[in-house]
Amino acid sequence: MNQLHLQAQIQQLGQVRYTPAGLMALDAALKAESEVIEAGKPRKVSLEIKAVAVGEVAKQLQALGVGGHAIFRGFLTHQRNGRGFIAHVTVIEPAASQNPDID
């Protein structure tokens, strides 16, 4: 199963483009930082990943803008040039508040 579930911040947005079917597509760079448990010990992890959103999800991504935080769901695949991978975002959900004391 290939599923992505990542709480991240938008670091960069590309230019709006359109697929051959006429759907809006938007490339982005996402950055995620968190703490996980590995072998019973806490570990801080940080990653940056290239992402793309198509259609209505691309509009949501654009509306969040650079610096926006959200939970991004989707799947991973190879980039067209075969170098590395890219996250295809299919759902964007609001992220939990960064500060639980602020509503």
Side-chain angles (χ1 to χ4, degrees), residues 71-91:
I71 297 171
F72 301 91
R73 295 183 189 267
F75 60 92
L76 298 173
T77 189
H78 289 285
Q79 292 186 43
R80 287 184 184 216
N81 63 12
R83 295 181 182 172
F85 56 91
I86 189 164
H88 284 251
V89 177
T90 57
V91 176

Side-chain angles (χ1 to χ4, degrees), residues 13 15-28 51-62 72-75 77 80 86-92:
L13 289 174
Q15 295 292 317
V16 172
R17 58 187 172 81
Y18 291 88
T19 69
L23 297 172
M24 178 181 171
L26 186 59
D27 295 311
V52 64
V54 178
E56 289 300 317
V57 179
K59 292 177 185 177
Q60 293 173 1
L61 184 65
Q62 185 180 42
F72 301 91
R73 295 183 189 267
F75 60 92
T77 189
R80 287 184 184 216
I86 189 164
H88 284 251
V89 177
T90 57
V91 176
I92 298 175

